[in-house]
């Protein structure tokens, strides 16, 4: 292991995983708990896998303090399939749903909902370049639900306080890129979903947390794989689940517990993001952050340099220094540093050291 060369991985997703998690998966790969098989090769109905999925759920419940009247599901189809399942399951015929549009992902979510029925935009910050959160919301008091995206992965805009829906309007959240990055009050939500591959594990599994009374709203005769009630009552085992991905999520959750839980995870995340934001702020305008200060994300930090030419050089030189995945999304341009839970403080420090050096040479 001494010659192990790991990159500093700033990829937006799939993203960095904790080294300890990868090492544990490696050590258990050929013989999982004395079965003589890998997790990928055992039955999803075996007692060994039952323990994997139940422990993952229990650890998630502990980390997020999920109340007893919520179900946890491990589904497939990515966050994208949730864009479809949510209106299918939660929006009764003739009722409209509200969406807050603060970036690419909520814009994608509302588009999918529009295909299936009545949908309103409660706010849309696109005209301002998706740089911040809306000042005010135009809310439908009769909406089937209010959907928001807690962290816009591409624009680097994050909600630290949930929007407040009208009384009796359930709050639904795409938390894909800041899931388990800090404690939240789950009881404020009717449904939370997150593709695991940003902060909670590998791709292939999407975690859905849904309140029981919402599950009761599931319409009859939905296609089985799109039916929350079937998925929830079967314990995500109606069909073969993504067993390896669930196992990996379980290891990540155990790792998060070992860090001291989500309050400790948040503290480290604030330290890392603080290093990068301070460097941007102290660069005299050489580096320019995309998001407004109040809304800037702890997870994804998009920033620009004085020219596209410099941005290209920055990405190339960074790569030479084992700083990987810093090229921004084409819709925002420039750079983006993704600092998910598994990014170490040392990695964030390596990035800001590089940024300062780069400015000295090119500023
Ligand atoms: C990545 C991402 C998605 C899309 O996830 P898939 O699992 O690829 O469908 C949706 N929402 C947010 C906030 C994301 O970061």
């Amino acid at each position: 292991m001494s010659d192990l060369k790991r990159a500093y991985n700033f990829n937006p997703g799939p993203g960095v995983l904790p080294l300890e998690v990868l090492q544990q998966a490696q050590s258990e790969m050929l013989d999982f708990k004395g079965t003589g098989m890998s997790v990928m090769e055992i039955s999803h109905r075996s007692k060994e896998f039952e323990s994997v999925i139940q422990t993952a759920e229990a650890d998630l419940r502990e980390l997020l303090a999920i109340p007893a009247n919520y179900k946890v599901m491990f589904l497939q189809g990515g966050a994208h399939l949730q864009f479809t399942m949510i209106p299918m399951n939660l929006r009764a015929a003739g009722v409209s749903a509200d969406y807050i549009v603060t970036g690419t992902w909520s814009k994608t979510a509302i588009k999918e909902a529009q295909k299936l029925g009545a949908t309103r935009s409660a706010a849309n910050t696109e005209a301002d370049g998706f740089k911040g959160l809306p000042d005010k919301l135009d809310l439908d008091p009769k909406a089937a639900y209010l959907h928001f995206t807690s962290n816009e992965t591409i624009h680097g805009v994050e909600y630290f306080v949930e929007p407040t829906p009208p009384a009796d309007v359930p709050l639904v959240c795409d938390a894909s890129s800041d899931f388990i990055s800090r404690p939240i009050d789950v009881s404020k939500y009717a449904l939370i979903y997150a593709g695991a591959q940003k902060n909670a594990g590998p791709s292939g599994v999407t975690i859905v947390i849904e309140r029981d009374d919402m599950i009761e709203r599931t319409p009859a005769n939905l296609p089985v794989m799109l039916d929350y009630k079937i998925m929830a009552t079967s314990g995500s085992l109606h069909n073969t689940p993504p067993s390896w991905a669930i196992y990996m999520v379980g290891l990540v959750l155990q790792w998060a517990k070992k860090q001291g839980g989500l309050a400790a995870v948040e503290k480290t995340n604030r330290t890392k993001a603080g290093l990068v934001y301070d460097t941007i702020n102290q660069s005299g305008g050489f580096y320019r952050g995309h998001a407004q200060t109040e809304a800037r994300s702890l997870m994804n930090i998009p920033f620009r340099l004085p020219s596209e030419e410099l941005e290209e050089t920055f990405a190339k030189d960074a790569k030479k220094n084992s700083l990987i995945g810093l090229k921004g999304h084409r819709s925002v341009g420039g750079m983006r540093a993704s600092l998910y839970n598994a990014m170490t403080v040392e990695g964030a420090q390596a990035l800001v050291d590089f940024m300062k050096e780069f400015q000295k040479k090119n500023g």
Side-chain angles (χ1 to χ4, degrees), residues 40-305:
M40 283 179 276
E41 300 168 289
I42 63 175
S43 167
H44 59 292
R45 312 269 177 216
S46 64
K47 69 173 185 338
E48 287 84 8
F49 187 72
E50 214 165 76
S51 162
V52 167
I53 194 167
Q54 284 169 5
T55 306
E57 176 174 340
D59 287 338
L60 184 63
R61 284 185 178 278
E62 183 183 329
L63 276 168
L64 275 175
I66 301 174
N69 62 324
Y70 285 76
K71 296 284 184 292
V72 173
M73 292 170 253
F74 298 97
L75 307 183
Q76 302 191 55
H80 270 83
L81 191 59
Q82 296 311 306
F83 298 160
T84 307
M85 281 179 78
I86 286 160
M88 280 183 114
N89 281 264
L90 305 188
R91 184 177 55 190
V95 183
S96 171
D98 271 1
Y99 281 72
I100 301 174
V101 181
T102 50
T104 300
W105 289 116
S106 40
K107 192 176 164 183
T108 311
I110 193 173
K111 255 194 215 150
E112 289 299 292
Q114 279 162 346
K115 292 178 187 168
L116 296 166
T119 308
R120 284 174 75 256
S121 152
N124 188 328
T125 58
E126 185 163 23
D128 302 320
F130 289 141
K131 290 189 165 131
L133 300 173
D135 303 328
K136 55 181 192 314
L137 302 174
D138 168 25
L139 295 167
D140 173 5
K142 294 204 169 87
Y145 56 84
L146 172 64
H147 179 284
F148 79 109
T149 302
S150 54
N151 185 62
E152 285 286 355
T153 319
I154 290 171
H155 294 87
V157 168
E158 187 167 9
Y159 267 97
F160 295 101
V161 178
E162 295 85 354
T164 309
D168 302 326
V169 173
L171 187 63
V172 171
C173 178
D174 177 358
S176 291
S177 52
D178 64 353
F179 192 63
I180 65 165
S181 69
R182 54 190 165 88
I184 54 167
D185 180 357
V186 173
S187 72
K188 289 185 179 166
Y189 300 79
L191 188 151
I192 304 169
Y193 63 102
Q197 71 273 18
K198 308 285 164 58
N199 217 12
S203 64
V205 63
T206 302
I207 297 152
V208 177
I209 302 168
E210 189 182 18
R211 208 172 58 215
D212 288 343
D213 62 301
M214 301 302 294
I215 293 174
E216 286 317 309
R217 291 189 192 188
T218 307
N221 296 320
L222 281 182
V224 165
M225 292 305 292
L226 303 176
D227 184 312
Y228 284 138
K229 200 171 188 175
I230 290 171
M231 292 298 140
T233 51
S234 65
S236 311
L237 292 168
H238 178 79
N239 73 324
T240 316
S243 44
W244 174 260
I246 293 170
Y247 159 74
M248 289 296 290
V249 167
L251 296 186
V252 170
L253 296 171
Q254 282 167 26
W255 172 85
K257 277 172 58 176
K258 263 188 243 144
Q259 308 308 300
L262 297 190
V265 166
E266 174 174 10
K267 198 164 165 240
T268 307
N269 285 336
R270 286 194 180 276
T271 302
K272 292 180 295 180
L275 283 169
V276 178
Y277 284 122
D278 285 349
T279 303
I280 291 172
N281 291 344
Q282 290 158 14
S283 72
F286 184 79
Y287 297 112
R288 284 169 294 123
H290 175 80
Q292 292 163 0
T293 305
E294 322 77 67
R296 62 192 194 182
S297 168
L298 297 179
M299 296 281 98
N300 310 96
I301 307 180
F303 60 94
R304 304 295 311 247
L305 273 72

